[in-house]
Amino acid sequence: MRVLVVEDARPLAEILAEGLRDQGMAVDVAHDGLAAAAKLDLNAYDVVVLDRDLPGIHGDVICQMITERDDRAMVLMLTAAGSPGDRVSGLSLGADDYLAKPFHFPELVLRVHALARRRPFARARTLRAAGIELDPVRRTVTRDSRRLDLSVKEFALLEALLRAGPRFLSTEDLLEQVWDENADPFTNTVTVTIGRLRRKLGSPSIITTTPGVGYRIADAADEA
């Protein structure tokens, strides 16, 4: 899952970003409306955590810009203005959820996951393929009923491959979906993480690699 945090209070923005990354999400950060608009033009996001009172371009305008897109992200409006009237006005702008500050971080995480599931064309909560069952909300994964202990990035990488279905994901695709805009495009971190994930998934291997194309999940029968 890729998330954009738009928050002008830099300490809070970094806390949010690091906390969501610890949950396995790829997170970008913008500190004003102009930067947010630029990132939204460059990247596809599942959820935008949006502060309402932003410099540059107001959060209300950013919210309307998002909701006018065909393949729009879901918007969680995060603001100190938490009266019923503020909530109604925020939702009327097209925000999908509204959370007043101060807030409990676990609640924010649950709301982000819920919004991602509500996004148009979102997949079923539990992802299944080749004997694997992955639950993004409970953060559990099994293979043939055997519980697997994956790192945050291993879990996120497996989730991305499962969501892609039989399609291949290139190294660049995985860097974008699992890491974030700060990932070094020349790093070997995808190759290393794929190697660790293969070992933890065990035999027979179900992550196939095609040089110059990328990686995908396939049943053992498909690899023969």
Side-chain angles (χ1 to χ4, degrees), residues 63 67 72 75-77 89-98 118:
C63 183
T67 58
R72 55 156 295 192
V75 178
L76 171 57
M77 195 169 274
S89 65
L91 294 174
S92 68
L93 292 167
D96 301 287
D97 200 357
Y98 196 102
R118 284 170 48 196

Side-chain angles (χ1 to χ4, degrees), residues 156-178:
L157 193 150
L158 179 59
E159 180 181 353
L161 290 172
L162 288 170
R163 288 192 184 282
R167 293 185 297 109
F168 281 93
L169 292 181
S170 67
T171 297
E172 292 75 17
D173 292 332
L174 291 170
L175 282 172
E176 179 178 324
Q177 294 182 34
V178 178

Side-chain angles (χ1 to χ4, degrees), residues 13-49:
E14 294 307 314
I15 289 172
L16 289 172
E18 289 305 312
L20 293 173
R21 287 173 186 142
D22 287 344
Q23 296 296 314
M25 303 177 199
V27 184
D28 299 336
V29 178
H31 298 297
D32 58 58
L34 289 170
K39 291 179 188 294
L40 286 164
D41 283 338
L42 288 173
N43 305 304
Y45 295 99
D46 297 294
V47 180
V48 177
V49 179

Side-chain angles (χ1 to χ4, degrees), residues 186-203:
F186 301 105
T187 183
N188 68 343
T189 188
V190 171
T191 303
V192 172
T193 307
I194 285 282
R196 292 201 308 263
L197 180 58
R198 277 192 173 116
R199 288 193 292 273
K200 290 186 178 181
L201 289 174
S203 298

